[in-house]
Amino acid sequence: MSHVFLYALLGVGLFVLGLYALIVHAHLLRKILAINVMGTGVFLVLVALAGRNQDTLPDPVPHAMVITGIVVAVSATALALILMLKVNGATGKNELPDRDRD
Amino acid sequence: MTANGQTGKTFRLLLVLLLTVMAVGLGYAVLELHSSAGGLSKQVATNLEASGVSNPVTAVLLNFRGYDTLLEMAVLLVALIGVWSLGGIPDYRESSPGPVLDTLSRLLVPMLILVAGYLLWVGTHAPGGAFQAGSVLGAAGVLLLLSGWRLEKIFAGLPLRVILILGLGAFVTAGGGFLLIGNVFMEYPSALAGELILMVEAAATLSIGVTLAALFLGGRPEAGLDK
C-alpha cells in the first residue's frame, strides 16, 4: 500500500472526527471549528487521491478544486463567525436555543 | 443535565458506533479505488499548450474550469456582503498592539507583498497563482489590522468597493469580451490566453487579498468622505 492511501485514510479520519465534534458539541464556535476540520479532511482526501499515479504528475483538477475550496471555506467561516456573534448578541448564549430543553 | 446523563451516555456510545461504521465504510471506499487511475491529467496535459500557461493547476483554474473560479470569486464577494449586511462585530474593543507586533508587522508586510507578487508571477509555470498570492496578501492585511492600522476614510468608500469587485469584473470582462468575436463564454483565444490569464489573476489577487482582510475586520470600514 502506498503512502497516498495513508493520507487519504487520514483525511477520512479527520472528516469523521469533525463530524463527531459537530454533533456532540453545542457551542457554536466548536461547531464551526468542527466543520473546518471536516473540510480539511475532504481536501486531504482529494489531494492525496490526485497523486495516485506514481509515475506521472499528480492530477491537477482535484488540486484546483481544493484551492478553490480552501478560499470558499475561509469566507464561509468568516460569515459563520459573524452569525455566531449575532446569536450571542441576541440571546446572550453561544448555543442555539433548544426548544425541548428550555 | 444529571438526569439526562444516562441517556446522554448511551447516545454518545451509539454515535461513536455509527461514526465508526461510517469511517470503516469511507476507508473501505477509499482503499477500493484503483491505485492507478488516469483521472483528467491526460486531457490537461494534451491541452496545456493551448491554455497559455505551463502550470497545469493554473491552466485548470483559469482556463479549463474557469467557471469554478469565477463563481468562487462571486462566493467570496457574497460572503463579504453577508458579513457587512450583518452590521459588524457588536461591542468590539480595540486593543493596542505591543511593540513586538508593531515592529514585526512593519518588517513583514512589505515582505508579504513581495511574496504575493512573486507567487502571482510564478503561477504561470510553477506552483503559485492568484489564490496563493491573494491569501498572502490577505494575511498581510490581517497583520496590519491586528497592529491597529485602519483604512483611510477616503479610501474606505468607493475605492475599496472597486478593488473588491475588480477580480470578478476582470474575469467577467475577459470571459465575456470574446463573445463579441464569436467565441463561447470563457473561451480565450490561445494566442492571447497567457496575458489574459495573468491580467485576470492580478485583479483576482488584489480582490481576494482585500476581501479576506475585510472579512477579518468583520464589519464595513467607516467611510467618511463617501461621494
Side-chain angles (χ1 to χ4, degrees), chain B residues 27-102:
Chain B
Y28 179 72
V30 164
L31 289 179
E32 272 301 281
L33 293 169
H34 288 288
S35 59
S36 60
L40 293 167
S41 35
K42 206 162 279 171
Q43 283 94 316
V44 171
T46 46
N47 292 309
L48 196 57
E49 197 77 18
S51 74
V53 290
S54 56
N55 177 15
V57 177
T58 308
V60 170
L61 266 178
L62 285 141
N63 204 329
F64 305 145
R65 291 184 66 94
Y67 259 116
D68 284 7
T69 315
L70 176 72
L71 293 178
E72 188 265 348
M73 299 290 301
V75 166
L76 263 180
L77 202 60
V78 170
L80 184 67
I81 292 170
V83 167
W84 278 8
S85 65
L86 285 171
I89 302 174
D91 61 51
Y92 171 71
R93 289 181 304 277
E94 297 246 352
S95 59
S96 63
V100 177
L101 182 61
D102 198 61

Side-chain angles (χ1 to χ4, degrees), chain A residues 22-83:
Chain A
L22 178 68
I23 296 172
V24 163
H25 293 296
H27 197 294
L28 287 172
L29 184 60
R30 283 174 194 264
K31 280 192 191 289
I32 294 169
L33 288 176
I35 290 173
N36 270 296
V37 171
M38 285 171 75
T40 310
V42 173
F43 296 151
L44 193 56
V45 171
L46 274 175
V47 169
L49 292 180
R52 268 184 291 163
N53 281 356
Q54 301 293 324
D55 43 342
T56 54
L57 281 174
D59 191 352
V61 177
H63 281 244
M65 287 164 120
V66 168
I67 291 179
T68 315
I70 288 172
V71 177
V72 169
V74 168
S75 52
T77 304
L79 188 57
L81 286 172
I82 287 284
L83 283 171

